[in-house]
Amino acid sequence: MRKIFETLRGYLSRFLGGNGLTIIDVCDEEAVQDYIRDPFSNSSFCLAMQKRADATKSVKLSIFTGEGENKKEVPNHSLAILGEYVSSSISYADFIDYVLNWSIAKDKGCLIRKVNGLSWLAPDLRVYHPDNFNIHFNGTEISRIEIINPGENISDPNEIKNNFLWIKSANYYQEVAGISPNSYGTGLSNQNSMGILGSFIKKVWTWNWRLSKNSGKINGVISGGSGHLTKEDREEIRDRYAAMSSGTNNGKPLILSGDAKYQDTSKSPIEADWLNGEKTAHERICLSVGVPPELVGGGQSTYANRKEAKKELYTDTVIPWMQDLVNQLNKLFAKELKGAYFDIKISHIEALKLDKSEELKALDSIKDRLTVNEYRKAAAEITGLKIEDIKGGDVIVIGTETLENLSTPIGGSGNEKEDDI
């Protein structure tokens, strides 16, 4: 991260230097660490994660048996209720929100616990906040799970294996699964790599806010010339200048006595503007959590772009994440599922449905190769409308005539065939 930090510092120094400015910890490491500790205070991250969470919560969870053509939903399975409520106090939507945000934004991720109750009821799922647990390791194996509040230590290997899921980001700094011997286990969240951009965008907002308070101008420099300015002189000049550069006195010239010199370092709002930097940082943070910027106020936000971006959000981000979570839930509930399995349902999601008008155009292009009833059946499948077969509709119509009439010879030898027609 330090290397990335220094590289970005170099880019920003050249950018600011070209505007007559000097960079002094524009993206200081303390700000980076603040962002990593609490990315939820950054509006770019929150906007992107809210969009991703809403999309993920629209994916339905259900239970199935069989594969391929034999795949069948089992709505009356005892675990089906988990697709609506994972416990008496946490809905499926809340569960997705917690797991998604904590596993991506926090190094420690989140901990999911299966709590068994009566045998004929679905177990509850409990989700622990990253600050409320520690995972202890012996080598690469979990040796103990520590729950901070209420205090509890779980060290039974079977209990850990059968009743806990630890959802986290991978840690690319470690050789094996992000684990150091005899240490707490954490992952390296996506937001770690975006910490510098997070601190940068915060600095941009601060910069632009200060410019707006100062009438869009950067202050100048007053020096003592060949003479000497006492401490009292410097304070008086600073106070007068500050008063004249804002409020009702804004715009009045500052007249200095003696040989004190004033150097104007102001830039126009356009020259000193960092809005482009803010936009870039915002877009990078959105991309870091898998959300196309077009959906959260970035990029080229046209109707066509947003439509394609919604589809991309599901296909590239939401569905792969959900499938991974479902695989882990199937492992956690293997005993209770009894041969069935959790899977996702996405057919109801509008963003993933094919454009009906385009499908109808494609169907119309082969209209003269289908019978009337075949065409009506295909149109019903595309539109979802109830279109029944009609009497005498098992014929192909070309223009206003049936293929049979067109293939009937008028005079001639009478040896023509339908294929010839």
Side-chain angles (χ1 to χ4, degrees), residues 73-329:
E73 187 174 0
V74 188
N76 59 346
H77 196 285
S78 61
L79 294 182
I81 187 63
L82 295 179
E84 299 179 12
Y85 290 93
V86 300
S87 73
S88 59
S89 59
I90 300 178
S91 68
Y92 168 73
D94 291 336
F95 172 74
I96 291 295
D97 219 330
Y98 290 141
V99 175
L100 179 61
N101 276 279
W102 290 341
S103 64
I104 289 177
K106 292 292 187 177
D107 284 351
K108 200 182 290 184
C110 70
L111 186 67
I112 301 173
R113 184 178 192 176
K114 181 177 70 174
V115 181
N116 292 301
L118 298 175
S119 59
W120 62 86
L121 295 177
D124 284 347
L125 287 180
R126 188 175 300 165
V127 188
Y128 292 94
H129 186 278
D131 294 338
N132 198 31
F133 70 88
N134 287 311
I135 307 294
H136 297 261
F137 284 84
N138 183 10
T140 59
E141 297 294 329
I142 297 178
S143 60
R144 179 167 61 92
I145 296 177
E146 175 189 5
I147 307 299
I148 299 173
N149 185 24
E152 185 180 2
N153 282 283
I154 302 96
S155 57
D156 181 358
N158 290 326
E159 170 76 4
I160 294 173
K161 178 181 178 181
N162 296 326
N163 295 327
F164 285 92
L165 282 180
W166 183 32
I167 310 294
K168 64 186 187 311
S169 296
N171 187 338
Y172 303 108
Y173 285 158
Q174 302 294 338
E175 293 183 2
V176 182
I179 300 164
S180 298
N182 302 314
S183 69
Y184 292 150
T186 64
L188 179 63
S189 71
N190 293 349
Q191 287 312 106
N192 243 314
S193 62
M194 289 294 108
I196 292 173
L197 285 176
S199 65
F200 174 48
I201 198 171
K202 182 178 179 181
K203 293 289 184 179
V204 169
W205 289 332
T206 303
W207 173 273
N208 282 330
W209 170 244
R210 288 175 178 172
L211 283 184
S212 67
K213 290 173 66 178
N214 197 34
S215 303
K217 294 291 183 179
I218 303 173
N219 292 332
V221 176
I222 300 174
S223 60
S226 59
H228 175 70
L229 291 176
T230 66
K231 180 180 179 180
E232 290 75 16
D233 291 335
R234 291 196 298 273
E235 291 179 352
E236 181 181 2
I237 291 173
R238 185 184 295 111
D239 292 342
R240 289 189 179 184
Y241 181 67
M244 291 181 179
S245 60
S246 62
T248 57
N249 291 321
N250 183 41
K252 292 184 178 180
L254 177 66
I255 301 175
L256 304 175
S257 59
D259 60 352
K261 296 179 180 179
Y262 171 73
Q263 179 182 355
D264 183 9
T265 62
S266 65
K267 297 288 182 181
S268 69
I270 294 178
E271 291 173 312
D273 185 25
W274 278 20
L275 286 178
N276 286 332
E278 179 180 350
K279 179 181 178 182
T280 300
H282 172 65
E283 291 177 356
R284 294 297 184 271
I285 291 172
C286 295
L287 290 173
S288 77
V289 296
V291 176
E294 293 86 351
L295 300 180
V296 283
Q300 298 295 321
S301 189
T302 64
Y303 173 78
N305 286 348
R306 289 195 302 273
K307 182 179 179 180
E308 188 62 30
K310 288 179 182 178
K311 182 178 179 181
E312 179 184 325
L313 173 61
Y314 280 101
T315 57
D316 294 353
T317 302
V318 171
I319 293 176
W321 186 86
M322 276 297 301
Q323 288 176 330
D324 183 61
L325 178 63
V326 163
N327 290 337
Q328 297 189 63
L329 290 176

Side-chain angles (χ1 to χ4, degrees), residues 349-404:
I349 299 174
E350 287 296 328
L352 298 177
K353 292 181 179 179
L354 295 175
D355 191 324
K356 294 179 181 179
S357 62
E358 294 298 323
E359 288 189 90
L360 288 172
K361 287 181 182 179
L363 177 62
D364 199 57
S365 66
I366 59 170
K367 185 176 183 179
D368 57 1
R369 301 179 188 178
L370 302 172
T371 67
V372 173
N373 284 336
E374 287 173 339
Y375 179 84
R376 292 168 66 87
K377 182 178 180 180
E381 292 178 353
I382 294 173
T383 61
L385 300 174
K386 185 177 181 180
I387 305 177
E388 298 178 347
D389 290 351
I390 60 174
K391 185 178 181 179
D394 296 324
V395 295
I396 295 176
V397 176
I398 301 177
T400 59
E401 294 288 340
T402 67
L403 177 60
E404 182 181 1

